[in-house]
């Protein structure tokens, strides 16, 4: 999904900075629309879109995309990046900068690392602390201060608005009507094309009035303004001297107030989703307005290696969890244990994380997977 909003390119909805071609200018082979198999990860899918990046774009991604090969592939397109790093990623300190960040290298890519502590104060007095560890190819600390990059990264969540616009604003919660893959693909192309065209009009309208943030342009207003001329069969073709058209004028006439900073925990509403269980991280259950946001840049770790390595050793908490799971399975070796029961027995892990760890341990032969979601202890052979 290619969006012309002048924000950053988010790994998830593919938003990019600057002006570019709309979705209708891509041929079907240039931007394939296929459902990915469950064995393909997000990083592999994201690599299929790297040919759309250009040197005037900035890419944002979360820590799920932290990988040497992926960073090298993205920077090879000429685009700049701002992304999260895992906490166990170890990188060398090449040079300390004046704003508290430092220059480093990941693989063969020169990067800049920003460690920051964020304190959020809500309107009801609730205080929430979080930490960001960002990597960026914007190495000029004077032109791109670390605090500005941390604030920019917070906008990565806006890709959720694209999903909302497609599912609720355009479809009004309805499901696709087609009953075959070809029809579903055709409907999805129609939805994405309409969404892209409306976003293009929104950006053109905002740029026609200097200082206007595209976030204040309502997508629902643009959607209704585009639907009315089709229904009424009037004013469909724009006038030659009207650069933004009827849709753009209606959007600018009803600008939304500046976006309020808010915070809430991430939850999955589907009762059958394996991602529905989430540990309490201190964030409020409902959306709350933010009255104060404090960003504190942290100094780099005192001891780091001399070469860049992407190490993922077993954390002490995971090692203890592994021992507890093995003890549980060997206590009743004939019982098939569902992953949900194991997670409930441990009590300190989400079901999604439990699935991943059990799958990894079964792949290494530590435990035995007898069927999807069912695990037993590896039978021990009697001594000779």
């Amino acid at each position: 999904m290619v969006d012309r909003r002048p924000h950053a390119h988010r790994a998830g909805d593919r938003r990019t900075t600057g002006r570019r071609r709309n979705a209708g200018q891509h041929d079907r082979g240039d931007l394939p629309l296929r459902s990915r198999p469950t064995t393909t990860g997000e990083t592999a899918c994201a690599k299929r879109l790297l040919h759309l990046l250009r040197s005037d774009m900035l890419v944002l991604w979360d820590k799920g995309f932290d990988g040497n090969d992926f960073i090298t592939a993205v920077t090879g397109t000429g685009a700049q990046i701002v992304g999260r790093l895992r906490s166990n990623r170890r990188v060398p300190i090449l040079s300390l900068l004046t704003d508290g960040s430092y220059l480093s290298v990941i693989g063969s890519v020169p990067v800049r690392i920003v460690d920051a502590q964020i304190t959020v104060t809500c309107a009801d007095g609730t205080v929430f602390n979080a930490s960001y560890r960002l990597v960026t190819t914007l190495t000029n600390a004077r032109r791109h201060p670390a605090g500005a990059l941390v604030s920019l990264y917070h906008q990565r969540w806006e890709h959720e608005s694209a999903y909302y616009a497609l599912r609720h604003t355009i479809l009004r919660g309805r499901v696709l009507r087609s009953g075959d893959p070809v029809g579903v693909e055709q409907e999805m192309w129609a939805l994405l094309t309409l969404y892209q065209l409306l976003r293009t009009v929104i950006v053109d309208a905002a740029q026609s009035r200097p200082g206007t943030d595209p976030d204040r342009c309502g997508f629902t207003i643009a959607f209704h303004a585009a639907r009315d001329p089709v229904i009424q069969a009037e004013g469909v073709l724009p006038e030659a001297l009207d650069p933004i058209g009827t849709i753009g004028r209606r959007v600018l006439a009803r600008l939304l107030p500046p976006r309020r900073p808010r915070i809430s925990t991430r939850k999955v509403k589907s009762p059958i989703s394996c991602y529905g269980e989430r540990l309490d991280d201190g964030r409020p259950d409902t959306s709350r307005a933010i009255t104060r946001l404090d960003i504190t840049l942290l100094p780099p770790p005192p001891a780091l290696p001399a070469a860049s390595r992407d190490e993922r050793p077993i954390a002490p908490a995971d090692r203890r969890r592994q021992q507890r799971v093995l003890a549980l399975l060997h206590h009743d070796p004939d019982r098939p244990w569902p992953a949900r029961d194991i997670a409930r027995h441990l009590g300190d892990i989400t079901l999604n994380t439990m699935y991943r760890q059990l799958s990894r341990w079964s792949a290494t032969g530590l435990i035995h997977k007898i069927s999807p979601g069912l695990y037993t202890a590896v039978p021990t052979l009697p001594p000779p």
Side-chain angles (χ1 to χ4, degrees):
M1 188 186 308
V2 184
D3 196 338
R4 293 184 59 188
R5 299 180 65 192
H7 284 306
H9 186 89
R10 287 124 169 129
D13 79 332
R14 317 300 163 215
R15 297 194 179 189
T16 53
T17 56
R19 301 174 59 88
R20 64 194 65 91
R21 301 176 296 173
N22 59 48
Q25 291 175 298
H26 294 287
D27 63 297
R28 298 174 70 87
D30 189 25
L31 187 59
L33 179 63
R34 305 186 187 95
S35 58
R36 67 178 177 90
T38 56
T39 56
T40 303
E42 291 181 328
T43 305
C45 293
K47 288 182 178 180
R48 293 164 50 187
L49 299 174
L50 296 186
H51 64 283
L52 300 174
L53 299 180
R54 298 200 307 267
S55 59
D56 61 342
M57 297 180 181
L58 176 66
V59 185
L60 304 182
W61 67 61
D62 61 19
K63 58 185 177 182
F65 292 84
D66 177 15
N68 290 15
D69 294 340
F70 188 73
I71 293 176
T72 302
V74 175
T75 55
T77 65
Q80 305 296 328
I81 66 171
V82 174
R84 291 275 301 267
L85 288 180
R86 292 185 175 91
S87 58
N88 58 1
R89 161 77 82 161
R90 304 177 65 191
V91 294
I93 301 176
L94 302 183
S95 177
L96 294 176
L97 302 180
T98 56
D99 61 353
S101 60
Y102 56 94
L103 299 180
S104 184
V105 62
I106 293 180
S108 59
V109 179
V111 296
R112 174 176 162 215
I113 308 297
V114 178
D115 290 315
Q117 180 76 22
I118 302 174
T119 303
V120 178
T121 304
C122 301
D124 60 352
T126 304
V127 178
F128 168 73
N129 295 317
S131 60
Y132 278 174
R133 190 168 188 231
L134 303 181
V135 59
T136 180
T137 51
L138 302 175
T139 56
N140 192 328
R142 292 187 176 182
R143 186 176 181 182
H144 308 286
L149 295 180
V150 175
S151 300
L152 172 65
Y153 180 79
H154 177 70
Q155 297 187 20
R156 190 188 61 83
W157 70 269
E158 291 183 359
H159 72 275
E160 302 287 349
S161 62
Y163 306 145
Y164 187 91
L166 291 170
R167 182 176 180 181
H168 296 281
T169 306
I170 299 179
L171 288 177
R172 297 183 180 179
R174 299 187 302 267
V175 298
L176 300 180
R177 297 175 297 176
S178 301
D180 58 276
V182 177
V184 171
E185 181 178 351
Q186 185 180 25
E187 286 191 69
M188 287 301 301
W189 271 105
L191 287 173
L192 296 178
T193 301
L194 174 60
Y195 175 84
Q196 179 65 24
L197 292 175
L198 291 179
R199 285 297 185 190
T200 301
V201 173
I202 287 176
V203 171
D204 291 340
Q207 292 180 343
S208 68
R209 184 179 296 179
T212 302
D213 190 344
D215 286 340
R216 299 183 59 192
C217 299
F219 183 84
T220 302
I221 298 174
F223 176 70
H224 290 167
R227 183 190 60 183
D228 293 343
V230 176
I231 297 176
Q232 300 169 4
E234 62 179 10
V236 177
L237 299 178
E239 300 178 3
L241 300 179
D242 190 357
I244 61 176
T246 304
I247 303 175
R249 291 198 306 271
R250 291 190 185 181
V251 168
L252 293 179
R254 301 178 60 185
L255 290 176
L256 302 175
R259 177 169 290 168
R260 298 171 300 166
R262 294 168 296 170
I263 187 174
S264 65
T265 189
R266 297 185 62 187
K267 286 189 175 182
V268 179
K269 296 181 180 179
S270 175
I272 62 175
S273 174
C274 62
Y275 299 95
E277 183 183 359
R278 185 179 180 89
L279 295 178
D280 184 12
D281 57 2
R283 285 182 286 184
D285 292 336
T286 58
S287 179
R288 301 183 187 180
I290 297 176
T291 58
R292 182 173 179 179
L293 185 65
D294 297 322
I295 300 176
T296 304
L297 298 181
L298 303 177
L304 291 176
S308 175
R309 291 180 295 173
D310 187 11
E311 295 184 343
R312 293 179 176 85
I314 299 178
D318 293 341
R319 187 178 297 109
R320 291 192 298 269
R321 185 177 299 132
Q322 183 183 97
Q323 295 172 355
R324 293 168 61 191
V325 170
L326 291 177
L328 178 65
L329 298 183
H330 283 283
H331 179 71
D332 193 357
D334 297 329
R335 172 184 174 181
W337 281 87
R340 185 180 298 275
D341 291 349
I342 299 176
R344 186 181 297 112
H345 179 82
L346 298 180
D348 60 350
I349 185 174
T350 64
L351 184 59
N352 181 34
T353 304
M354 191 78 266
Y355 273 119
R356 293 200 307 266
Q357 292 191 345
L358 290 175
S359 179
R360 184 167 62 249
W361 295 339
S362 64
T364 58
L366 194 63
I367 60 178
H368 182 53
K369 183 177 181 179
I370 59 176
S371 65
L374 288 179
Y375 301 86
T376 61
V378 175
T380 57
L381 299 176

